Amino acid sequence: PIFIGGAGRSGTTLLRVMLDSHPNICCGPELKVTPLIAQMWHTFQSAQPALQEYEITTADITAIFQQLFQMLTSRLLKKSKKKRIAEKTPGNARMFLYLFCLFPESPLIHVLRDPRAVVASLLKMDWIDATTGKPLEYVSSVEGAARYWVQEVQAGRQILSHSEAAKNYLEVRYEDLVSKPEITLRKILDHIGDTWDPEMLEYHKIKRNLAGESSAEQVGKPLDEAPLRRWEQELNEKDISRIELIAAPLMKELGY
């Protein structure tokens, strides 16, 4: 499998429909439970001493969670009549290292976007905490959204400190995906070991189940560079200063 992740509102849905337009790749609606599967796999490692009494090895645990993921995605893949499955859930980025341990040959793609654009977009969302029934912190304030961006991006980039896992990892900028789509997609295809197909640029012409994904309307349209700088109209100077106060070191590191 190919795993795609990134902070919410960073452009992961755009990449997912582009990949899904490739004749070899099925990238359906967010599975959502992929990060949970990876976290559960990690949790099971700590139970290994007890599981040994049941003659369950570390390899057995890994196989169980590999099979779980494959069972959850196999019917969609079969229905698509394609060769490969790609799974896009934003939270995958936090679990890249665990996903590498589960699937050591899997490409890991981290979608990055200017935090000012991410914050401006998050503040429009009405996402609710399922436990409290209240709006999530990172859609409720500029500071909350900025902290969320920093935490998610840093969590995804932790894989860079692991040399073997880092070989599977690729960072893709949303801005490049929009402004230089063919160049950027060719780079992605090189990374995942597949060939270029121009149908990927015709993603918006394909009817597909977006399962209520928050970017469903946008990815039904052709690429447009105008929204890339929309945050300049949507955020005031005070908002931008508050974002930069929190995110400046990481922004500088990433060239934003």
Side-chain angles (χ1 to χ4, degrees):
I2 301 158
F3 294 106
I4 303 161
R9 311 307 295 165
S10 289
T12 56
T13 301
L14 175 61
L15 179 55
R16 101 99 166 142
V17 297
M18 286 176 158
L19 286 177
D20 190 52
S21 302
H22 192 286
N24 292 339
I25 303 169
C26 171
C27 190
E30 292 177 11
L31 185 58
K32 297 188 184 296
V33 297
T34 304
L36 179 60
I37 292 170
Q39 182 63 61
M40 287 175 63
W41 169 84
H42 178 68
T43 302
F44 265 62
Q45 305 306 308
S46 63
Q48 183 58 35
L51 291 171
Q52 284 179 346
E53 296 298 318
Y54 290 82
E55 299 188 6
I56 302 296
T57 67
T58 300
D60 292 330
I61 294 170
T62 296
I64 287 167
F65 286 98
Q66 287 173 337
Q67 291 165 14
L68 175 57
F69 177 82
Q70 289 163 345
M71 287 175 63
L72 290 170
T73 57
S74 61
R75 292 181 182 178
L76 179 65
L77 182 60
K78 184 177 180 180
K79 182 180 178 181
S80 74
K81 299 180 181 179
K82 296 184 178 183
K83 298 177 181 179
R84 308 180 69 180
I85 192 79
E87 202 290 300
K88 186 279 289 189
T89 295
N92 287 347
R94 294 194 305 272
M95 299 293 161
F96 276 158
L97 188 57
Y98 298 165
L99 289 169
F100 167 76
C101 293
L102 273 170
F103 296 96
E105 297 182 8
S106 283
L108 308 168
I109 303 174
H110 192 176
V111 184
L112 302 173
R113 188 182 184 186
D114 188 314
R116 293 162 293 194
V118 171
V119 170
S121 186
L122 283 171
L123 294 177
K124 299 174 189 175
M125 299 295 104
D126 57 359
W127 297 341
I128 301 296
D129 186 313
T131 303
T132 65
K134 297 179 180 179
L136 292 166
E137 180 188 8
Y138 58 85
V139 301
S140 304
S141 70
V142 169
E143 290 86 354
R147 284 193 294 269
Y148 163 79
W149 179 83
V150 170
Q151 291 164 2
E152 295 298 300
V153 173
Q154 286 180 334
R157 302 189 89 226
Q158 285 180 355
I159 199 168
L160 291 171
S161 62
H162 300 266
S163 58
E164 285 302 310
K167 295 175 184 176
N168 293 21
Y169 175 80
L170 178 69
E171 291 182 347
V172 175
R173 294 174 187 262
Y174 173 72
E175 295 84 2
D176 292 339
L177 197 58
V178 173
S179 62
K180 301 182 291 186
E182 182 173 339
I183 292 172
T184 306
L185 288 169
R186 284 182 180 274
K187 180 180 178 182
I188 293 168
L189 291 166
D190 284 344
H191 179 69
I192 66 177
D194 225 314
T195 56
W196 166 250
D197 193 287
E199 289 298 312
M200 299 179 78
L201 298 179
E202 304 297 324
Y203 65 89
H204 56 284
K205 297 180 180 179
I206 300 173
K207 290 185 178 181
R208 55 169 57 85
N209 177 17
L210 288 160
E213 292 179 60
S214 52
S215 298
E217 183 179 351
Q218 294 97 311
V219 298
K221 301 174 182 178
L223 292 172
D224 180 7
E225 293 186 43
L228 292 179
R229 307 292 298 186
R230 188 178 292 159
W231 60 266
E232 294 177 344
Q233 286 74 49
E234 296 174 337
L235 300 174
N236 57 42
E237 290 185 9
K238 185 177 180 181
D239 291 335
I240 294 170
S241 295
R242 288 189 288 179
I243 294 167
E244 292 175 349
L245 184 64
I246 294 168
L250 186 54
M251 290 174 69
K252 184 176 181 180
E253 184 178 345
L254 293 173
Y256 284 118

